[in-house]
Amino acid sequence: MSISLEEIIRKIMEKTSLSREEIMEKIKSIKEELGAKFISDVGAAQIIASDLGVPLFESIPREMVLEIRELKEGQQKVSVIGRVMRVLGVRDFKTDKASGKVGSFILADQSGEVRVVLWNENAELISGNGIKVGDIVKVSNGYTRRNIRGNLEVHVGTYGKVIVNPPDVNEDYYPEVISDFRKISELGDGIYMTSLEGILKRKIG
């Protein structure tokens, strides 16, 4: 990000009692001290601003990515990253007030699993070869709610964003795709959906 000399001077003048002439004199002094060949007016002005505690660029809040275990009901602007363990497909819906498409998939990180529900345009990402089992997916600006079974879900609506296989993510951090079938001993907290295979020992009821 670049900034002009005049803009730096203006910001320093707004935050301090220095005049333009005084700032230019300081710039001259720094260049004489460091050598005019090695630093520009802009560089010297940035040093002055830093010494005076004058911010030159607006701070942009970093996006906070939550682990799945940190998700709670009613959260807004949620961001999560994980590996797609199962794609549950897309269907059309229609109510008295709206109609469109809805699709979902199971996302997993090292802390657990969660169902991610995509609405309308985002749901199209599941169609065809958009989102596949094994992909790393980043969800931004989603929201959490519980479904009718009481399970927590991440929903991605109009203002949400989904990135498939983002380039800045280390996929080795996320669990490998597991088989649809697990051993009973593998069950535990944080497993959202699974299938079991075994021998029926006794039928009750």
Side-chain angles (χ1 to χ4, degrees):
M1 184 180 295
S2 62
I3 187 169
S4 68
L5 176 62
E6 290 303 320
E7 192 171 359
I8 297 173
I9 292 173
R10 177 181 62 79
K11 287 178 179 288
I12 293 174
M13 291 175 62
E14 288 176 352
K15 298 294 183 180
T16 70
S17 59
L18 293 175
S19 66
R20 190 180 193 284
E21 290 72 23
E22 289 172 321
I23 296 170
M24 291 303 299
E25 189 62 34
K26 286 180 176 292
I27 290 173
K28 182 180 177 182
S29 297
I30 289 177
K31 293 185 69 175
E32 288 176 351
E33 179 182 350
L34 300 179
K37 293 189 300 182
F38 302 103
I39 188 167
S40 65
D41 288 353
V42 170
Q46 288 176 328
I47 291 174
I48 295 168
S50 177
D51 289 344
L52 295 172
V54 177
L56 298 180
F57 304 102
E58 296 295 329
S59 59
I60 301 174
R62 295 184 63 186
E63 178 184 26
M64 180 177 291
V65 177
L66 299 177
E67 289 191 338
I68 289 173
R69 66 182 175 188
E70 297 176 313
L71 297 174
K72 299 178 182 178
E73 184 178 6
Q75 290 174 315
Q76 302 290 324
K77 298 183 178 180
V78 167
S79 295
V80 291
I81 301 174
R83 191 182 299 278
V84 177
M85 293 297 179
R86 185 180 301 179
V87 177
L88 304 177
V90 180
R91 64 177 176 83
D92 295 321
F93 73 90
K94 186 174 183 180
T95 67
D96 293 338
K97 297 182 179 180
S99 62
K101 294 182 179 295
V102 60
S104 63
F105 58 89
I106 305 302
L107 194 70
D109 64 12
Q110 298 288 356
S111 70
E113 300 178 358
V114 69
R115 183 185 182 194
V116 178
V117 182
L118 309 182
W119 295 91
N120 297 321
E121 290 184 5
N122 283 313
E124 297 290 348
L125 291 172
I126 299 177
S127 301
N129 292 319
I131 293 177
K132 304 181 297 296
V133 171
D135 284 339
I136 300 296
V137 170
K138 179 179 180 180
V139 173
S140 299
N141 208 25
Y143 60 94
T144 59
R145 55 173 289 188
R146 292 194 182 276
N147 61 23
I148 57 174
R149 297 182 181 88
N151 295 318
L152 194 65
E153 299 176 334
V154 175
H155 286 242
V156 186
T158 303
Y159 302 105
K161 185 177 181 181
V162 177
I163 302 176
V164 182
N165 297 317
D168 56 342
V169 171
N170 179 11
E171 65 174 273
D172 292 338
Y173 175 77
Y174 299 95
E176 293 298 321
V177 176
I178 59 173
S179 168
D180 283 347
F181 290 93
R182 304 191 199 207
K183 298 177 181 179
I184 294 175
S185 61
E186 294 174 334
L187 299 179
D189 294 338
I191 296 176
Y192 185 84
M193 296 182 68
T194 192
S195 300
L196 298 175
E197 184 177 36
I199 298 173
L200 180 63
K201 292 291 187 179
R202 183 174 58 169
K203 184 176 180 181
I204 301 174

